[in-house]
Amino acid sequence: MTNLPSIKQLQYLLAVHQYQHFGRAAEACFIGQSTLSSAIQTLEEILGCQLIERENRSLMFTDIGEEVVERARKIIDDTMSVKELTKSYKNPLSGKLTLGIIPTIASFIAAPLYQACKREFSELQLVLVEDTSENLLYKLEHGHIDMAMLALPYRTDKFHTEVLAKDHFSLVRHKEYQVPDPIEDFNLLPDESVFLLEKEHCMTGHALSACHLNRSACINPFEAANLHTLLSMVEYQNGVTFLPQMAINTGILESKPLVASPPSEHAYREIGLIWRRTTGRSRDFRLFSEFAKAYVKKQCS
């Protein structure tokens, strides 16, 4: 029988690639550095090629080494999916599930969703991770999280996507700040009167797209780092902003002299759940998405 690499050897290779250091990789794998080095050397002998160039205390992966790492990552994912599949079949929605959520959703839904899951699924350990869409996609692709809840549209071609709900946008202003009511075209708003979050927050792009706001002169050059600062600018009658219904429903405007216009039927973002197509827990994730869909729809209505 052909001598094949072991799963353990491939895991060690991935650890070295992640940490770019034999000592730190060995610590992460809970083994000695000599054991790890020996395993990598054996792997290179089995494959008949050099995967890592070593010089003093530095290392560099060869071109073929980088390709082997990519294949090894897929092999490990597929192997894990077999284990996940059997576990999910025996006991659905149990064990640990790590869910990434972007800040402009997490602010309004993370805590109540976490509590609802504890009530509904007693054997499920839900771990929440808050980060930007770009970072969550990276973490999902590399197996650091199991699922991600994002605002769509966003490029998620590599993953399976389930749309949970539409989250409509409303224009928010100080009750004494005068704007046409209703507004037929948001591009007619005064120059620099529209306040938005920093571009790192995808809600900015979604609001601009959903509200067809394409006249850049309308947009104030100031970019808020968070919703609290954003609403403060509007509260002092410097202009207006756009908020999703999910935020408004949590009472974010209460005790403030701010009003929201009725949401437009066509101005919305979609809330979606994504996960890797290769996962063995797709049955679990579909069950979770059905639960989350009912909950998110309620928060957005």
Side-chain angles (χ1 to χ4, degrees), residues 197-216:
L197 292 171
E198 293 173 330
K199 292 182 177 63
E200 286 77 9
H201 296 277
C202 60
M203 193 175 87
T204 293
H206 289 140
L208 293 176
S209 176
C211 298
H212 305 289
L213 186 60
N214 48 40
R215 191 173 76 88
S216 58

Side-chain angles (χ1 to χ4, degrees), residues 184-200:
E184 299 294 338
D185 185 354
F186 293 114
N187 292 288
L188 300 178
L189 288 167
D191 288 356
E192 298 189 356
S193 65
V194 177
F195 286 85
L196 299 168
L197 292 171
E198 293 173 330
K199 292 182 177 63
E200 286 77 9

Side-chain angles (χ1 to χ4, degrees), residues 47-117:
L47 297 178
C49 61
Q50 184 180 15
L51 304 177
I52 303 173
E53 294 181 14
R54 308 160 179 82
E55 184 176 354
N56 295 327
R57 295 187 177 182
S58 65
L59 64 87
M60 182 179 71
F61 276 74
T62 63
D63 290 342
I64 187 63
E66 291 288 352
E67 289 192 36
V68 170
V69 164
E70 288 305 309
R71 296 291 182 94
R73 187 171 286 121
K74 186 177 186 308
I75 290 169
I76 298 300
D77 285 345
D78 289 345
T79 304
M80 288 295 295
S81 73
V82 172
K83 184 176 180 181
E84 292 167 350
L85 176 64
T86 54
K87 182 179 178 181
S88 172
Y89 180 81
K90 291 187 293 184
N91 197 2
L93 283 176
S94 63
K96 183 179 178 181
L97 192 158
T98 305
L99 172 65
I101 312 182
I102 60 171
T104 54
I105 295 177
S107 299
F108 315 114
I109 205 170
L113 179 63
Y114 181 79
Q115 288 296 325
C117 284

Side-chain angles (χ1 to χ4, degrees), residues 164-168 244-250 263 271 293-301:
L164 305 180
K166 291 180 179 178
D167 192 17
H168 288 82
Q245 195 63 37
M246 178 185 288
I248 295 171
N249 285 348
T250 61
I271 309 299
K293 181 180 293 186
Y295 189 81
V296 172
K297 276 187 175 179
K298 182 180 177 182
Q299 297 298 107
C300 294
S301 61

